[in-house]
Amino acid sequence: MSRSLVLAIETSCDETAVALVRAPREIAASEIASQIDLHQRFGGVVPELASRNHLPRIRPLIAAALQQSGCAIGEVDCIAATRGPGLLTALLVGHSAAKGIALALGKPFIGVNHLEGHLLSPFLGSDTCPSQSVGLIVSGGHTSLVRLDEVGSYFLLGRTLDDAAGEAFDKVAKLLGLPYPGGPEVDRLALKGDPKRFDLPRSMLNSGDFNFSFSGLKTAVRYLLPKIGGDYRADLCASFQEAVVEVLVRKTVGAAKYCDVSLITVSGGVSANSRLRSKMTDAASAAGMQLKLTPPSLTTDNAAMIAYAGLERFLKGLHSDITEEADPNLKLV
Ligand code: KG4
Ligand code: ZN
């Protein structure tokens, strides 16, 4: 029997992406057209600009992905697209295109939650299927701890009460005059800095729950800036990053212990962070837990993770209705 093949489109923010994933967890093609250059001069994503620029990119990307995979569109078993959360006008482009293709081909359509894409991405390309675990989803828009029982069955353990961790990285980078997106810049500068030089708050570290708060940390950096002089940027990046990473690591390992699971996963744009990867690796090993980090090429937004989540749903018969609408506030749980 041939292995199921899913084509997916992701346009929830400023990345236009198309990918093909084949059962059980193999990436057959993954194409991403970044719009970072267009949004960089505004210091963040401009929704209208993002959606307008998705439109001309979709068809060439589908053609490129099919060519890369060596497959014909007729071989695809199901068409998936990100349904939400994200920017509505951006989501509409990929979601509508996918529904149109599914209708034209007479194939099932599956609308995928972007966060489910991130959550399952540590398993993509690996030799194990999703199993009982606690997942930290940490990106520009979200910071959540989720217990995964099986694909489609999730329980929210905690989330940020204000800024997402990636948002804090981006805002602190902006305060320091670093380009957008700031996360990778802070990570790079922090490598040369002293994480102990500035004592920054670890908000909610001992709150007794699995929620997060990062806006106080960002404000602490803002108030600190006028008081320091000299060459401080690397030390400040390292100290800020250390505060974020310590809270993320402690809460994630604590949540896994609380749920009595021995597998931790980390996904989303901020999971590319080098300090988070090394500290989480140390902490998981000290706690005797297994850790699955998202492969570096899949941490930021991509369509392979959407195709994979779509594939898992397709295999369970969880098709979406073709009249389904994109939802900018779609919840995972
Ligand atoms: O998952 P993603 O591509 O988009 C969302 O769904 O939000 O995540 C983007 C976020 C941005 O805030 C970016 O600054 C952050 O991920 N990011 C990083 C790193 N690489 C990307 N943050 C810290 N360290 C990094 N190396
Ligand atoms: Zn994302």
Side-chain angles (χ1 to χ4, degrees):
M1 206 182 92
S2 72
R3 293 184 292 147
S4 302
L5 183 68
V6 174
L7 180 141
I9 305 176
E10 148 71 37
T11 61
S12 65
C13 192
D14 60 337
E15 245 100 46
T16 324
V18 176
L20 285 125
V21 165
R22 195 183 286 287
R25 287 170 295 278
E26 179 196 326
I27 301 174
S30 181
E31 294 281 336
I32 303 176
S34 171
Q35 298 183 15
I36 282 184
D37 296 353
L38 290 170
H39 300 271
Q40 212 153 31
R41 66 195 165 105
F42 300 104
V45 178
V46 183
E48 175 67 15
L49 195 61
S51 53
R52 277 174 190 257
N53 282 282
H54 285 314
L55 264 177
R57 287 169 164 84
I58 289 266
R59 284 178 60 138
L61 279 180
I62 293 174
L66 286 169
Q67 193 182 26
Q68 194 191 331
S69 71
C71 300
I73 189 83
E75 294 171 56
V76 171
D77 296 293
C78 159
I79 315 293
T82 307
R83 180 185 179 201
L87 306 168
L88 179 61
T89 51
L91 286 165
L92 278 172
V93 179
H95 192 254
S96 310
K99 288 203 285 187
I101 297 168
L103 266 180
L105 294 176
K107 298 280 167 76
F109 164 74
I110 295 183
V112 172
N113 186 308
H114 182 85
L115 297 174
E116 184 176 32
H118 278 305
L119 181 66
L120 300 182
S121 61
F123 298 95
L124 183 51
S126 88
D127 52 9
T128 47
C129 58
S131 58
Q132 248 208 355
S133 47
V134 161
L136 171 68
I137 309 171
V138 65
S139 71
H142 302 270
T143 302
S144 300
L145 274 166
V146 174
R147 191 187 73 216
L148 180 158
D149 293 331
E150 60 175 302
V151 171
S153 173
Y154 312 116
F155 178 80
L156 183 69
L157 297 163
R159 61 181 172 81
T160 181
L161 303 180
D162 41 58
D163 290 355
E167 195 178 347
F169 267 95
D170 294 339
K171 286 177 175 169
V172 164
K174 206 169 180 175
L175 287 173
L176 295 177
L178 300 169
Y180 169 86
E185 300 287 332
V186 171
D187 191 352
R188 195 175 46 79
L189 265 177
L191 290 174
K192 298 180 277 182
D194 173 9
K196 293 203 174 76
R197 174 157 168 210
F198 301 108
D199 186 21
L200 293 167
R202 270 77 169 149
S203 304
M204 298 187 72
L205 187 59
N206 300 308
S207 59
D209 58 23
F210 301 115
N211 291 328
F212 301 93
S213 165
F214 294 108
S215 76
L217 174 57
K218 170 202 66 193
T219 309
V221 171
R222 175 173 293 142
Y223 285 135
L224 185 64
L225 274 176
K227 298 183 196 151
I228 48 178
D231 187 11
Y232 60 83
R233 289 211 307 189
D235 291 343
L236 191 54
C237 285
S239 304
F240 159 77
Q241 180 175 273
E242 201 67 6
V244 175
V245 167
E246 186 179 339
V247 180
L248 292 175
V249 169
R250 291 259 296 266
K251 293 234 168 180
T252 304
V253 174
K257 283 183 182 156
Y258 172 80
C259 295
D260 200 19
V261 304
S262 57
L263 174 61
I264 288 173
T265 67
V266 188
S267 59
V270 182
S271 72
N273 185 267
S274 59
R275 191 72 176 159
L276 177 61
R277 291 177 90 87
S278 75
K279 284 277 191 178
M280 194 69 88
T281 303
D282 294 347
S285 131
M289 291 172 183
Q290 201 202 334
L291 173 66
K292 268 181 128 29
L293 295 165
T294 302
S297 59
L298 298 175
T299 52
T300 41
D301 290 349
N302 62 85
M305 68 182 195
I306 304 301
Y308 176 52
L311 172 66
E312 290 284 356
R313 293 195 156 255
F314 173 71
L315 295 174
K316 288 188 154 212
L318 298 171
H319 302 175
S320 302
D321 195 291
I322 201 74
T323 61
E324 169 194 281
E325 289 183 14
D327 180 354
N329 302 311
L330 189 65
K331 299 272 180 286
L332 181 63
V333 277

